[in-house]
Amino acid sequence: EVQLVESGGGLVQAGGSLRLSCAASGFTFDDYAIGWFRQAPGKEREGVSCISSSDGSTYYADSVKGRFTISSDNAKNTVYLQMNSLKPEDTAVYYCVALIGATVVAGSLQYEYSYWGQGTQVTVSS
């Protein structure tokens, strides 16, 4: 069974940092890109970042470039999202997503098929 388990969310002050983790199991890790999406009330779901487990290539949404860093530890089947200089507008539920056929179209992350985790809440206070 494919499983994606997020952790590391919480409450942080503006300007602070959090590191999210995604532990993956039930599939061949290197055959997928692993992405982070976020959903906030009243906002469209956004693809935040993505990393290829095989070659380490990365994608970042314009809204987080220069502040967030994605990385992977293939030996642990785990992907991390280091979030620095957090802003209140970063508040959302963050989902780890295993992607097949990931591409970037018009600056946004697209994919052909996906598996989703349960999400972890990130709240940034002002």
Side-chain angles (χ1 to χ4, degrees):
E1 179 181 352
V2 174
Q3 289 188 312
L4 299 164
V5 181
E6 302 96 334
S7 62
L11 175 65
V12 66
Q13 298 290 325
S17 299
L18 286 172
R19 189 180 75 158
L20 306 183
S21 298
C22 173
S25 63
F27 60 96
T28 303
F29 191 74
D30 289 353
D31 290 344
Y32 294 79
I34 307 297
W36 290 92
F37 286 71
R38 65 186 181 186
Q39 179 71 63
K43 296 183 179 180
E44 188 174 337
R45 188 174 66 190
E46 178 183 25
V48 175
S49 187
C50 186
I51 187 167
S52 169
S53 300
S54 59
D55 64 13
S57 59
T58 59
Y59 158 86
Y60 297 96
D62 288 344
S63 57
V64 305
K65 284 181 179 176
R67 300 189 297 120
F68 291 10
T69 303
I70 193 168
S71 61
S72 64
D73 185 340
N74 287 9
K76 297 181 178 180
N77 285 357
T78 300
V79 170
Y80 305 95
L81 186 67
Q82 179 67 46
M83 306 186 295
N84 297 327
S85 301
L86 283 162
K87 305 174 181 179
E89 51 263 45
D90 294 318
T91 295
V93 177
Y94 284 70
Y95 297 91
C96 180
V97 188
L99 307 173
I100 297 174
T103 59
V104 179
V105 179
S108 65
L109 183 62
Q110 307 290 321
Y111 55 90
E112 297 176 0
Y113 193 75
S114 62
Y115 298 98
W116 290 69
Q118 293 294 308
T120 185
Q121 177 71 46
V122 171
T123 302
V124 184
S125 64
S126 59

